[in-house]
Each structure stands twice: as C-alpha cells, then as structure tokens.
Amino acid sequence: EQGITRPKGHKVSFHYNSRVEDMHFGKTHPMKPWRLTLTKHLVLGYGLQYAMDTYEAVAAGKDQVRAFHDPDYVDFLAEVSPETFPALCEVEKYKKHIANSPYQDLVDLGPFNLSTSPGADCPVFDGMSTYLFLYTGATLAATNQLVTGQSDIALNWSGGLHHAHKSEASGFCYINDIVLSILDMLRVYPRVLYIDIDVHHGDGVEEAFQRQPRVMTLSYHRYGQYDDTGHKFFPGSGDLNSTGLKGTIGEHFALNVPIPSGIDDRQYTHLFQSITGRALEAYKPSAIVLQCGADSLGGDRLGQFNLNIKAHGECVAFVKKARLPLLIVGGGGYTARNVARAWCHETALASDNKLPDRIPLDIVPRPEAFSRKSHGNGLLFPPFPRTHPNDCKDVDLELMIKKLDY
Ligand code: ZLM
Ligand code: CA
Ligand code: ZN
C-alpha cells in the first residue's frame, strides 16, 4: 500500500459485496465468480482501498428493479432457485412469458429465457436471486453517489450486465443494472452517454433507450460471422447502420462500431479515441456510464480481440479526461487472471495511481493465479496475440469513423 494516494481534485467510490462470489452459473459455464474474487485480491493487495471510499453494497429492492423490468419477471427472479423453478413454471402469470427464442431447440427453456439445462446461457442456479439483486444494488449505490455529488467516479466491477431485456434474460445477464442506473441519472442529468467496450454488443441498453435522445449509446464490439458454421458472434446485432429507432426522436442517438476479430491495440485505440472524442464533442453529455467488459482483451476464453490491458485501460483514461460524473461497471471477461489485472489497473487509473508492475504476490491470497510461468507475473503482462478465423486485416477504419460522423 506504500505510495497509494487519494486522488487530488476528485472523489472515487468503490461498491462491492463479496457475497456475489457465492454464485455459480455451473461447472463449465464461462461466467465465473472467481474473476471478482481475484479482482478484489489485487485491488486490496495493492492497497487501492486507501485511495477510494469503499462501500459494502446492499441488495436492490424489487421496486427499484421494476423501474425497467416487467413486474412478473421481477417476482420470478426474486423467488427462483433450482428447487422452485419447476413449480414456478406452472404458475399462470408466468406461462405467458415463454420467450420465442431461436435457441429453444438447443436447450429447453422456461419463462423469461431461463432454463435449468446445464448448457443454457442463462441457467437457474443456487444463490442466483441473491447475486442478481446484489450486483444491481451495487450499481444503484454507485449511481446514487454520483447523482448526489458525493463521488465523481463510482465503480462496480460486479455490474455491467448489458444484455438483459425488460422481461427476458439474455447472454448471462438477468437484471440490466446499467439501464436502471441511467434511469436514475436522467432525473438529474439532461443527457447521458453510455460507452461499452465489452467485446459483445450492448444490445439491452441500446434497445431500452432506442426512442430516447437523452441517452446516447455507443458500443464497440466483435461483429459478423465467427466461424464456418454460419453462426454470428453473439448477439448478432449492432451493425454500422443501426443508429436508434427510425421514425422516433431517438433516431441517430445510438452508435455502433462493428469490428472483426483480431483487432490490436493501435487500431482499437485509434477507433475508440476518434469516435468517442467526436461523440463527446457533438453530444455534450452531462454524465457518462462506461461498461468495461474485459472479454475484449487478447486471450479471452470467449472474445476474439487482441487488446492488451494497457489499451483497454487507455479507454478508461480517455473517458476520465472528460471530467464528467462517471459510472464504471464491469461486464464480460472470461479469462479470470486477465480480468482481475485489467480491472485492478483501471481502478488505479480512476484514482490517479500508478501501480508497480510487480504484483504483490506475498499479499494476494492466491498468488499462483498470477505467477504462471507461461503468462508472466506482471500486472500489465500482455496476453499472447492469437489468430482467429476472420481476422481484422484491412478493415477501413477511416471509412468507419467517417460514416459514424453524421
Ligand atoms: N448456446 N456451458 C456474453 C454472452 C455470450 C448463443 C450458443 C448455449 C457461450 C457459452 C453455457 C456449460 C457479456 C450464444 C450457446 C447452449 C445459443 C455465448 C454453458 C460455453 C458454455 O460450456 C458452457 C455446459 C455456455 C455458453 C459457451 N454462450 C459462449 N457465447 C453467447 C452469449 C455476455 O460478456 O457480453 C456480458 C456479461 N451465446 O452465442 C448460443 C447462441 C445457446
Ligand atoms: Ca461492446
Ligand atoms: Zn461480453
């Protein structure tokens, strides 16, 4: 903790409850609570708690979650567990919510796109309700710190679940904490800019505000065919031409940056700074929400980009320079040791600290997670670049930047 200082001129708050680590999506499901445990170990190991106000999150209330989600869906989420699921499926008011999902032949789905089959994206698992209402509570507490002027930057690494819809779970996301946060912000701020660097399209947030000019959504994501099977990279939406719901006042207030696999630091940084810089200048937001999904890092189990932690962090540093109230949330990230490195590094950036690259292995409870010979034991140790089926070679970045500048 030597050398860790509180930032001059701004206040940072950190919102977390270790009970989110009790959840388990399933043995081989890619979403792991372990990445949050490791992140906490690094943040505390480096002593970053001395640079911020840390708050233990409390669960969100059902009424708070109803500000966006369907009341039946909220009731279901509050009561569901592997034990109660079969009986709940038979309850009349839930039966009308069987989703018309294109995947229902792959896994057998109950209401709200939920399932107890092990292969499901959104399984029903033990401790699920606790987990959902806690990550949401942390995001809402972080938001409250901002709107009341008590923090300038508020962080919740357990939040950022950008795919959840009004009455449907999707892509590992059940409650859309980001939408709930932005709804709270709109009581205070005239315009909110949402930026999403998760490797997946932030479709749930975009959809929620597609008719709304007071929220601009900007997602950078892998887009297109991802292998020879003809499947598209999840969720398949977010091409350059989707810019908000046509014929409504929300048209032109959604921006999408579809990217092929393999994009590197230099290309991504150029895209990110050009487009985000222009969006800030043109939209003049009053506050910003930044979703920092770490599955855009190289070496991610699901992602297909080749970003290093440094470039991922530069996005945070760039957005912070706008000096606007800033909510930072997590999101995806499936190679736990790299997720923890990135989010710890970004916690340091938010609080104006420069961390020594040597991870304090004598202090973190699980040093072996960070001391693999093959991966090095530095904080910013670059993941090895990988090649992917449709790698980003000569995409015309300049053309993309120009097309988005309308
Ligand atoms: N099948 N197990 C990102 C959300 C990505 C849809 C393909 C499931 C997986 C994946 C689940 C244990 C965020 C799709 C998947 C049958 C249709 C996705 C369970 C492996 C496993 O081993 C697995 C048996 C599972 C799911 C891989 N799912 C990889 N990619 C995506 C959702 C969420 O990062 O953006 C924010 C947190 N789903 O591609 C299928 C098409 C359902
Ligand atoms: Ca994204
Ligand atoms: Zn993702």
Side-chain angles (χ1 to χ4, degrees):
E1 66 270 28
Q2 296 159 305
I4 298 295
T5 55
R6 290 180 77 87
K8 312 223 159 43
H10 73 282
K11 265 183 103 169
V12 181
S13 60
F14 185 91
H15 302 264
Y16 189 64
N17 188 316
S18 298
R19 277 161 62 215
V20 297
E21 297 164 19
D22 297 341
M23 57 90 178
H24 287 280
F25 278 63
K27 232 183 151 80
T28 59
H29 194 286
M31 184 58 107
K32 302 283 183 209
W34 175 234
R35 69 208 186 111
L36 296 169
T37 312
L38 283 183
T39 304
K40 176 184 72 182
H41 290 172
L42 278 189
V43 165
L44 298 178
Y46 271 111
L48 285 167
Q49 66 276 28
Y50 303 115
M52 316 178 283
D53 296 330
T54 56
Y55 292 91
E56 180 165 34
V58 297
K62 281 166 80 170
D63 48 334
Q64 292 177 295
V65 178
R66 284 190 205 109
F68 171 58
H69 290 285
D70 183 297
D72 292 344
Y73 182 43
V74 179
D75 288 342
F76 195 92
L77 292 180
E79 290 174 48
V80 76
S81 74
E83 289 72 40
T84 61
F85 186 72
L88 285 176
C89 289
E90 297 309 314
V91 174
E92 210 49 50
K93 71 167 178 168
Y94 299 135
K95 278 190 177 166
K96 63 173 183 284
H97 292 286
I98 302 283
N100 186 15
S101 161
Y103 309 127
Q104 58 212 151
D105 45 333
L106 292 170
V107 283
D108 78 273
L109 293 174
F112 311 109
N113 196 31
L114 299 174
S115 173
T116 42
S117 14
D121 272 353
C122 299
V124 170
F125 52 88
D126 273 321
M128 164 165 161
S129 287
T130 310
Y131 160 70
L132 302 180
F133 287 86
L134 270 183
Y135 80 65
T136 303
T139 293
L140 294 179
T143 307
N144 188 58
Q145 283 286 121
L146 296 171
V147 299
T148 57
Q150 298 179 84
S151 300
D152 302 288
I153 303 179
L155 301 151
N156 171 23
W157 295 123
S158 66
L161 294 132
H162 59 177
H163 298 306
H165 301 285
K166 179 180 156 79
S167 52
E168 197 176 308
S170 171
F172 320 160
C173 305
Y174 304 76
I175 295 177
N176 200 316
D177 59 307
I178 301 166
V179 171
L180 293 173
S181 165
I182 294 174
L183 288 172
D184 278 353
M185 288 189 176
L186 289 175
R187 297 163 175 269
V188 174
Y189 306 123
R191 287 177 307 284
V192 177
L193 175 63
Y194 171 66
I195 307 169
D196 183 317
I197 62 170
D198 188 288
V199 76
H200 297 97
H201 175 221
D203 59 344
V205 184
E206 178 182 305
E207 179 188 72
F209 298 112
Q210 60 181 340
R211 308 159 185 274
Q212 180 53 265
R214 288 180 58 205
V215 180
M216 177 178 270
T217 58
L218 166 56
S219 175
Y220 296 83
H221 44 268
R222 169 80 173 88
Y223 179 81
Q225 302 301 121
Y226 84 118
D227 58 14
D228 308 326
T229 64
H231 291 295
K232 284 177 151 189
F233 195 77
F234 186 85
S237 49
D239 72 9
L240 207 56
N241 302 317
S242 36
T243 56
L245 192 60
K246 295 216 172 13
T248 71
I249 53 171
E251 190 177 356
H252 307 304
F253 292 95
L255 294 175
N256 284 296
V257 189
I259 303 169
S261 58
I263 192 168
D264 65 21
D265 284 7
R266 198 183 48 80
Q267 295 168 306
Y268 194 93
T269 305
H270 179 63
L271 264 186
F272 184 85
Q273 298 194 353
S274 312
I275 297 167
T276 307
R278 190 66 189 104
L280 283 167
E281 181 184 272
Y283 189 60
K284 298 186 173 56
S286 351
I288 303 175
V289 178
L290 177 60
Q291 196 267 21
C292 288
D295 47 7
S296 42
L297 293 172
D300 187 80
R301 176 171 163 200
L302 297 190
Q304 301 184 334
F305 288 172
N306 272 325
L307 294 194
N308 287 304
I309 289 165
K310 187 164 173 288
H312 200 268
E314 273 165 17
C315 299
V316 177
F318 185 83
V319 169
K320 177 172 166 263
K321 277 198 302 194
R323 294 183 169 281
L324 291 167
L326 174 60
L327 172 69
I328 298 179
V329 289
Y334 306 99
T335 299
R337 58 180 182 276
N338 293 336
V339 177
R341 285 176 159 101
W343 289 350
C344 175
H345 173 58
E346 289 162 9
T347 305
L349 286 173
S351 62
D352 287 350
N353 280 286
K354 173 134 182 48
L355 300 177
D357 193 59
R358 181 181 293 273
I359 291 175
L361 292 179
D362 47 328
I363 295 174
V364 297
R366 297 298 185 92
E368 66 277 13
F370 301 107
S371 57
R372 299 251 204 118
K373 257 251 160 53
S374 55
H375 296 88
N377 57 11
L379 183 66
L380 302 186
F381 191 88
F384 294 123
R386 289 186 305 183
T387 54
H388 302 283
N390 306 298
D391 265 359
C392 187
K393 286 191 191 73
D394 0 77
V395 213
D396 194 339
L397 301 184
E398 296 312 320
L399 185 67
M400 197 137 84
I401 293 169
K402 218 171 105 191
K403 278 198 177 167
L404 283 169
D405 193 4
Y406 49 78

